[in-house]
Amino acid sequence: MTGIRRLQPEDATAIVDCFRRVYGDSYANELFYDPAALAEAMRQGRVGSVGAEGPDGSLLGHMAMTVRPHAGVVELGNTVVDPQARGGGLAWKVGAELSSWCRELGYQGFLHYPTTDHHIMQRQSVKAGFETGLMLGYIPAETHGQVGDGSGARRRQAATIVYEPYADGAAFDGYLPEQYAELVQELVMPTGLPRKWRAATAAGRGSGAFSLQRHRKRGLARLEVDAVGQTTSSGLDQLEGTGAPCQQIDFSLADAAIGVGVRAAAARGFRFCGWLPGFGACDVLRLQRLDEEVTDLGPGLENPVARQLREVYLTSA
């Protein structure tokens, strides 16, 4: 009999052991290789994990929620199932308990990122959810189990962005840059989320605000721009300077000057990646730039929105 339970910081070592059994050293999230850092994240409430235990107390499955400050949604993922326990729907059982926990905490929904190697997960994700983005090159080629391109070489794979609601979402008034206004509104419509948009016509004022995160094991660098201003160009320079094969920019859709920032990013080769509702204190517009030499630009996409977004990327050069 397998037991499903909410894990505690004391379970961090068992979680890491489970990831190592399945992925070796190839899993792209460094946190799940560091028991001390993972335990601290769990104590602080930044990560909540649900696990499946075997009769001997070993951890056979895991899924986590990642909590962002002031966000209306959580991120669900970091799913792993021990090979000896596959085929019995264990991941769905762990996911159901994690989803119940998120509801108890009052979140309006969640975001998750099905990889394009998992065709069943892609199809399942839109039964109650909505694709709102496509992150090409998000999964490192070195990740255990990635497929090749037919020549024996492995390339960085993609993940979709999926929003799944628990309840009616909170209303939000924001700003859309002209370049992506129609596309974002098209993505919003099927979700039914109450959104009112204004044209982002303001100029950047003041110094602006940004932060840069490096995820070295994933080969990802992400610039989070809370406000476009005089320092935005410096932030873009720093992002480019990372040399990461996958680079992303998150712009706040509450910023009236977002149009200025999007134009500056587009001039440097950044293209549409996704719309993330409730990702922080507001919705976020994500752009991406890739090292196309190491990226699979034709991943297996199961659903029409993801296929449309791939075409948007390929035709917006």
Side-chain angles (χ1 to χ4, degrees):
M1 175 69 74
T2 301
I4 308 297
R5 69 177 178 89
R6 299 175 187 182
L7 302 178
Q8 303 300 317
E10 294 74 22
D11 297 306
T13 297
I15 296 172
V16 171
D17 289 344
C18 186
F19 273 88
R20 286 196 181 279
R21 286 198 308 275
V22 176
Y23 284 100
D25 292 324
S26 72
Y27 193 68
N29 191 329
E30 299 97 329
L31 183 64
F32 292 93
Y33 288 109
D34 188 334
L38 177 58
E40 183 62 20
M42 294 170 77
R43 276 191 290 269
Q44 294 179 0
R46 293 185 285 112
V47 171
S49 289
V50 169
E53 284 187 333
D56 62 354
S58 63
L59 195 64
L60 300 177
H62 170 272
M63 187 181 294
M65 61 174 160
T66 301
V67 179
R68 293 172 58 87
H70 313 298
V73 303
V74 289
E75 296 174 280
L76 299 191
N78 306 119
T79 304
V80 63
V81 176
D82 191 294
Q84 65 177 301
R86 292 176 183 171
L90 194 61
W92 305 118
K93 297 174 184 176
V94 172
E97 176 59 24
L98 187 63
S99 185
S100 295
W101 193 0
C102 295
R103 289 173 184 268
E104 289 175 21
L105 293 173
Y107 288 103
Q108 68 185 43
F110 64 90
L111 290 161
H112 65 126
Y113 313 115
T115 68
T116 52
D117 276 349
H118 296 169
H119 296 171
I120 293 176
M121 184 63 74
Q122 285 187 73
R123 291 193 291 268
Q124 285 289 128
S125 73
V126 296
K127 289 186 175 180
F130 306 90
E131 286 180 327
T132 66
L134 175 64
M135 297 188 289
L136 294 165
Y138 183 71
I139 310 295
E142 298 79 13
T143 304
H144 177 68
Q146 294 298 353
V147 298
D149 64 1
S151 66
R154 292 188 296 180
R155 291 179 172 269
R156 295 179 63 87
Q157 296 297 311
T160 59
I161 299 173
V162 175
Y163 168 71
E164 184 166 327
Y166 289 137
D168 294 339
F172 171 65
D173 293 1
Y175 298 89
L176 289 179
E178 180 181 7
Q179 185 171 352
Y180 297 121
E182 183 176 345
L183 178 57
V184 171
Q185 290 180 86
E186 186 178 339
L187 293 171
V188 171
M189 187 175 299
T191 71
L193 288 172
R195 296 293 185 265
K196 293 183 180 179
W197 302 110
R198 304 172 188 173
T201 57
R205 293 182 293 181
S207 62
F210 71 85
S211 62
L212 178 66
Q213 288 83 39
R214 288 293 309 271
H215 304 273
R216 288 178 174 81
K217 200 169 181 66
R218 188 175 290 284
L220 168 70
R222 181 179 296 148
L223 186 72
E224 296 188 355
V225 181
D226 293 321
V228 174
Q230 296 169 1
T231 61
T232 302
S233 179
S234 173
L236 293 171
D237 289 342
Q238 292 178 40
L239 178 59
E240 289 183 288
T242 66
C246 182
Q247 299 176 12
Q248 298 179 342
I249 308 174
D250 283 359
F251 285 106
S252 166
L253 284 166
D255 181 12
I258 185 177
V260 175
V262 168
R263 287 193 295 272
R268 299 183 185 227
F270 286 87
R271 311 178 199 175
F272 184 85
C273 178
W275 161 64
L276 289 80
F279 188 59
C282 61
D283 291 6
V284 161
L285 173 70
R286 177 169 291 173
L287 306 185
Q288 63 186 349
R289 190 176 70 174
L290 311 167
D291 180 349
E292 296 188 358
E293 292 297 318
V294 299
T295 300
D296 183 358
L297 297 177
L301 300 172
E302 294 295 309
N303 303 314
V305 173
R307 291 195 290 267
Q308 175 196 357
L309 293 176
R310 174 183 174 273
E311 292 307 306
V312 168
Y313 177 87
L314 294 177
T315 58
S316 61

